[in-house]
Amino acid sequence: MKYTTIPKTDIKVSKICLGTMTWGNQNTEAEGHEQLDYALEQGVNFIDTAEMYPVPASPETQGETSRIIGSWLKKRNNREQVIIASKIVGRPSDYTAHIRTSGLQGNSIAEAVDNELKRLQTDYIDVYQIHWPERETNTFGKRDYVHNPSDEWTDNFNEVLHKMDEQIKAGKIRHVGLSNEKAWGTMRFLEESKSHSLPRMRTIQNAYSLLNRTYEGDLAEISMREDIGLLAYSPMAFGVLSGKYIKGTAADNARLKLFPRFARYSSEQCTEATKRYLKIAEDNNMTLAEMSLAFVNQQPFVTSNIIGATSLEQLKENINSINVTLSDAVLEQINAVHAVIPNPAT
C-alpha cells in the first residue's frame, strides 16, 4: 500500500480508501466485516461513511452502514488502526427529509455528530465532512450553474465553522472537510477559516474518474495552491468502468441493474468513451478497472481514492490498482479519448 497525509495534518492515510455506501443494502453486515478485514490486511487504513448511507437513502436503512462499521470496530477492538471519515447531509430535500429538514442550522451538526458516534461505537471521527452544499448549486452531475435569485439560503460559512469548531474542541471530531462542493464554496470556507482562526477544510470529496474529470478545472488548482486534498469518489463510475455492462457480465445485484435511476454514467457518450478506454486497457494488458483506478491514484491533487465493491473479488482487484503505474504512452491514449469525449458523465 502507498500512503499520504491529510493536508496540513499528521494523519497518515492509505492512498486507497474503503468506500462503504452499499453496506446495509447491497451488502450484509458479514460481508461488510469481511471487506474491512481484507482491506486492513492489505494496508488500507482509511474508511469513508456517512449518516445517510446506505444509498439509495431510505428511512428503513438510514445509518446502517455506520452501524456495520461500528460493530466491526467493537468486535476487532482496533479503532486506533483506522482513520474514519463521515458526513452530514447538506441542503434539505425530499430525499433526506427522514434524516432532518434543518440543513446545518441550529443544533443539527452537534446532533448529527452524536448520532454518528453512537452508530460507529467510537468517541471521535477523524474527518467530518459536509455531504453537499446547503445553497442551490450545480452538484451531482448538473453541468452548468444557473443562479436562482429565489434561493432562500443565506451565507452561513462562518456559523458552520464555529459549530464544527465546538465539536473539535469537545474532542468529537479531529478535522473537517467538504463533499460535492464547488470552487466558490471551497474558497469561501478557506477564507472564513483564515480570517477568523476557525477550523480549516482539509479535504474535498468529489466525483472523479475517466468519465468525469471536471475536478481538473478550478478545483484542481485550489487543491494544489491551497493544499486541500481530493478524496475521489465514484472512480469506477458506478461500476461502468469495470466494462461489465459493455461485456454483458454484470451480475443481477450490480448497482445499475438494481437502481437504474443512477444513470449519470449511462449515456451514449459514456458508453462510447468506456468502449475506447476498455480497448486501451486491453491493448496494454490491464483490466479496465485497474487502469481506471490507477489513473486516479496517480493524480497529484488526490489524497485518497475511495473504492467500493459489492464482492470480495471486486475489492481485491480494486485494491491491487495501487500496484499499477500508467506509462506516459497510456496516459497520452487516455487523454486522446478525453479530448474527443470530454466529461461525458456531467
Side-chain angles (χ1 to χ4, degrees), residues 83-135:
I83 305 300
I84 296 176
S86 189
K87 300 180 279 293
I88 179 174
V89 298
R91 183 181 179 89
S93 70
D94 292 342
Y95 188 58
T96 56
H98 59 280
I99 301 175
R100 74 180 59 81
T101 57
S102 54
L104 306 177
Q105 309 296 318
N107 294 322
S108 296
I109 291 174
E111 291 174 356
V113 169
D114 284 344
N115 289 336
E116 186 70 340
L117 290 174
K118 290 176 185 176
R119 288 186 287 263
L120 290 167
Q121 299 193 54
T122 184
D123 296 327
Y124 66 96
I125 297 166
D126 296 285
V127 183
Y128 197 61
Q129 306 153 100
I130 299 169
H131 209 152
W132 58 84
E134 273 196 292
R135 67 191 186 281

Side-chain angles (χ1 to χ4, degrees), residues 76-327:
R76 300 290 183 261
N77 191 28
N78 60 354
R79 175 66 182 91
E80 293 74 23
Q81 295 180 39
V82 294
I83 305 300
I84 296 176
S86 189
K87 300 180 279 293
I88 179 174
V89 298
R91 183 181 179 89
S93 70
D94 292 342
Y95 188 58
T96 56
H98 59 280
I99 301 175
R100 74 180 59 81
T101 57
S102 54
L104 306 177
Q105 309 296 318
N107 294 322
S108 296
I109 291 174
E111 291 174 356
V113 169
D114 284 344
N115 289 336
E116 186 70 340
L117 290 174
K118 290 176 185 176
R119 288 186 287 263
L120 290 167
Q121 299 193 54
T122 184
D123 296 327
Y124 66 96
I125 297 166
D126 296 285
V127 183
Y128 197 61
Q129 306 153 100
I130 299 169
H131 209 152
W132 58 84
E134 273 196 292
R135 67 191 186 281
E136 187 174 327
T137 188
N138 53 320
T139 53
F140 300 113
K142 186 177 179 182
R143 187 177 291 272
D144 299 317
Y145 173 72
V146 178
H147 187 67
N148 178 8
S150 299
D151 184 11
E152 295 181 357
W153 175 82
T154 55
D155 185 325
N156 65 340
F157 293 98
N158 185 280
E159 179 186 354
V160 167
L161 288 176
H162 270 290
K163 290 176 180 176
M164 292 293 194
D165 193 33
E166 291 173 1
Q167 298 303 303
I168 291 173
K169 288 176 178 175
K172 295 179 180 181
I173 60 177
R174 297 174 70 187
H175 296 284
V176 291
L178 300 167
S179 183
N180 297 297
E181 187 53 273
K182 313 302 288 187
W184 181 78
T186 303
M187 289 305 297
R188 281 290 291 110
F189 272 115
L190 293 176
E191 176 187 25
E192 287 299 314
S193 65
K194 183 178 181 179
S195 299
H196 302 283
S197 299
L198 289 166
R200 191 180 196 278
M201 294 299 178
R202 306 297 186 188
T203 56
I204 175 170
Q205 184 177 148
N206 279 25
Y208 183 69
S209 70
L210 289 176
L211 298 179
N212 180 3
R213 294 171 58 175
T214 54
Y215 194 88
E216 293 177 21
D218 293 344
L219 280 167
E221 183 178 10
I222 291 173
S223 278
M224 301 304 294
R225 295 189 184 279
E226 300 292 336
D227 202 9
I228 178 169
L230 173 62
L231 307 181
Y233 80 78
S234 288
M236 291 287 289
F238 292 168
V240 169
L241 286 170
S242 68
K244 62 188 177 184
Y245 296 105
I246 290 174
K247 294 180 178 180
T249 59
D252 290 339
N253 68 340
R255 186 160 194 74
L256 292 179
K257 283 193 174 184
L258 289 177
F259 313 115
R261 69 183 290 272
F262 294 118
R264 182 175 176 180
Y265 302 99
S266 302
S267 67
E268 289 182 14
Q269 295 93 335
C270 283
T271 300
E272 179 58 31
T274 301
K275 288 178 180 177
R276 298 187 188 196
Y277 290 131
L278 177 61
K279 186 176 187 308
I280 295 171
E282 291 178 341
D283 287 349
N284 289 276
N285 301 310
M286 290 179 283
T287 67
L288 179 54
E290 287 173 335
M291 187 181 84
S292 300
L293 293 172
F295 175 80
V296 176
N297 294 340
Q298 287 179 221
Q299 300 303 322
F301 46 80
V302 172
T303 292
S304 195
N305 186 2
I306 305 174
I307 56 101
T310 51
S311 73
L312 197 59
E313 273 144 28
Q314 289 175 349
L315 184 64
K316 290 177 180 178
E317 181 180 23
N318 291 352
I319 291 176
N320 187 60
S321 71
I322 200 66
N323 300 311
V324 177
T325 300
L326 302 184
S327 67

